Amino acid sequence: MKDMSVAEKPKPQIPVLTSLRFFAAAAIVCFHGLGFLIANPNSSLALGVSFFFVLSGFILTYANDNAGRAVGRFYLGRVARIWPIHVVTLLASVPILQINQVDPAMFMANLLLVHAWYPSGASVFSFNGVAWSLSIEAVFYLMFPLLVRIKRIELVFVGSLALALLGIAFVSQYPLVMPAANPYAPNWLNFVLQNPITRLPEFLIGMIAARRFAQRPMMLSTGAATCVEVASLAFLAIFIMSSPLNFNWYPARTPQALSQWIQQCGGLFNFALLIFVLASSSGYVSRLLSWKPLVLLGEISFCTYMVHLLILRFAARQYTMSAFSVTAAVIVIYLSSYILWRFVERPCRKAIVSIRQNKCQSAFNFDPRSASNFDPLEPPVRAVALAPSELAGVAGAMQEFR
């Protein structure tokens, strides 16, 4: 076991993965925005959530190879990353959605991010509906310090996939209880799409891709790497266009619960391949995606995801939803995202992480940008070689960066 008093070197940054977050969040915004205009928007746009689960497994594994030994710092980093914006949007949802009677138990379940563990639509989508994915991520975070210590994570993936499919096969025997009939009754749809058991394979395939990337990153010429990048994008496009729910014959030959899971979660291999390929950043596609404006939009994508549905629902209460009003709402979404990222997310994360960092720095000379405090949704700084005389100035600059 390594000495915990020795700081881990920060990993090289991967800005292309940050910009990909923008596209994933934008797809989800489009999905919900179109939902106010047409009856059945293309549900393939909701695949952005699946991408986030795979990316989370990849980046956490890539950056937190010491999380099994620095559990406290890892958990504090995760709380600092997601909880401030979650609390702000949870509180904002009460007046925005005009919730007259707040159920204390349901509010606490949301606050603690356990509300999606019970497969009921009224629980999963309560308050800020998109926060269900954070509830799933919370399970992954709790498991990660144990998972990262397992050498044969592929076996865990196979087991989790088998468990998910068995669970889907079991619940598909029962009729779907629609929310109008009994909103608090469990139903198979929420189990299939919004449950840690059925979404864990996505996180694990991201972990596998990260380990393969660490062992043997793609080393190709620019032209060859560009061809591979385009091919990985093509494979993803083929999956999206051949989505099971886009073909009338597919559900008839497959249980509906399984077809729903394939449509929303079946792209996990495509996402893992895309992340692995683009993470090498050696082709023209990855260079294009490393454009600074795209990276900035990726930086604010978590805030975008958390506020977009609240703003759309508020707009729907105030105005007749049209293409113009939805477009205006999207503009407000991105402006609000930047403000929240700049004045809430970053300062709160810095303040929370500094609680533990100050203790670690004084006791162990701990590097505040070490892997265990790495943000899974932001690229780390590049590792550089510094002379001892430069350390003081760099430490101050890094603290200001945080």
Side-chain angles (χ1 to χ4, degrees):
M1 181 178 295
K2 297 180 181 179
D3 184 359
M4 287 182 61
S5 65
V6 179
E8 299 283 343
K9 291 183 179 180
K11 302 295 179 66
Q13 67 177 165
I14 312 177
V16 62
L17 298 186
T18 304
S19 63
L20 285 178
R21 288 165 42 203
F22 158 66
F23 293 100
I28 299 170
V29 172
C30 290
F31 172 70
H32 286 136
L34 288 173
F36 289 93
L37 299 178
I38 59 179
N40 295 303
N42 189 343
S43 57
S44 295
L45 292 170
L47 284 168
V49 176
S50 180
F51 172 82
F52 280 128
F53 287 151
V54 178
L55 180 65
S56 180
F58 182 95
I59 296 296
L60 278 175
T61 305
Y62 170 75
N64 291 283
D65 51 6
N66 71 333
R69 302 181 299 276
V71 177
R73 290 198 295 270
F74 171 76
Y75 285 150
L76 185 65
R78 297 306 92 230
V79 170
R81 178 63 183 89
I82 67 173
W83 208 60
I85 293 299
H86 168 59
V87 172
V88 169
T89 53
L90 173 61
L91 294 174
S93 68
V94 176
I96 289 177
L97 302 181
Q98 299 180 4
I99 303 176
N100 297 322
Q101 293 183 340
V102 176
D103 184 341
M106 191 64 70
F107 185 87
M108 287 303 300
N110 272 265
L111 185 65
L112 299 176
L113 291 174
V114 299
H115 59 289
W117 300 3
Y118 178 70
S120 161
S123 178
V124 169
F125 301 118
S126 56
F127 296 95
N128 186 15
V130 297
W132 70 264
S133 64
L134 298 189
S135 182
I136 306 302
E137 281 279 1
V139 178
F140 302 160
Y141 293 163
L142 290 172
M143 298 175 63
F144 183 75
L146 175 62
L147 292 173
V148 77
R149 298 175 70 97
I150 300 175
K151 294 182 179 180
R152 300 296 301 275
I153 195 66
E154 295 86 355
L155 297 179
V156 181
F157 168 75
V158 172
S160 71
L161 184 61
L163 179 62
L165 294 177
L166 285 174
I168 293 170
F170 177 78
V171 300
S172 63
Q173 304 177 62
Y174 299 92
L176 176 63
V177 178
M178 299 306 294
N182 185 356
Y184 289 96
N187 64 83
W188 62 254
L189 185 61
N190 293 125
F191 174 81
V192 169
L193 299 183
Q194 292 96 21
N195 190 274
I197 295 175
T198 54
R199 306 308 295 245
L200 181 59
E202 295 159 282
F203 183 80
L204 292 174
I205 197 67
M207 292 186 65
I208 294 172
R211 288 190 175 178
R212 293 293 173 267
F213 177 77
Q215 294 168 1
R216 187 177 296 178
M218 190 175 66
M219 305 295 292
L220 299 173
S221 65
T222 301
T226 302
C227 292
V228 175
E229 290 171 348
V230 172
S232 64
L233 287 170
F235 288 143
L236 177 61
I238 291 171
F239 170 78
I240 293 174
M241 290 186 293
S242 62
S243 174
L245 296 185
N246 290 338
F247 296 93
N248 294 327
W249 54 266
Y250 198 97
R253 301 167 66 177
T254 305
Q256 188 179 5
L258 179 58
S259 67
Q260 287 274 358
W261 184 86
I262 294 174
Q263 198 274 336
Q264 288 298 314
C265 310
L268 72 171
F269 298 105
N270 304 78
F271 287 133
L273 174 63
L274 180 67
I275 292 169
F276 175 85
V277 170
L278 292 180
S280 299
S281 302
S282 53
Y284 287 117
V285 175
S286 57
R287 293 180 186 181
L288 176 63
L289 292 174
S290 298
W291 188 39
K292 288 185 178 180
L294 289 178
V295 175
L296 176 60
L297 288 169
E299 297 277 7
I300 69 173
S301 62
F302 177 61
C303 292
T304 303
Y305 176 76
M306 292 299 292
V307 303
H308 80 277
L309 191 56
L310 293 178
I311 293 175
L312 286 170
R313 288 180 173 175
F314 177 80
R317 289 179 180 273
Q318 302 297 322
Y319 310 101
T320 300
M321 297 302 280
S322 63
F324 175 80
S325 57
V326 170
T327 302
V330 170
I331 295 174
V332 173
I333 286 168
Y334 279 96
L335 291 175
S336 302
S337 301
Y338 179 80
I339 293 172
L340 283 173
W341 172 76
R342 180 67 179 82
F343 297 105
V344 178
E345 180 185 335
R346 291 179 64 189
C348 289
R349 184 170 72 244
K350 179 178 178 180
I352 294 173
V353 171
S354 66
I355 297 173
R356 182 73 182 223
Q357 282 182 353
N358 291 336
K359 296 179 181 179
C360 293
Q361 284 179 290
S362 60
F364 302 123
N365 192 27
F366 179 68
D367 181 358
R369 296 293 293 184
S370 68
S372 62
N373 281 316
F374 175 77
D375 188 339
L377 297 180
E378 290 189 11
V381 296
R382 289 190 180 276
V384 294
L386 298 175
S389 60
E390 300 176 289
L391 291 178
V394 173
M398 291 172 69
Q399 287 293 340
E400 178 63 25
F401 177 78
R402 289 294 294 179

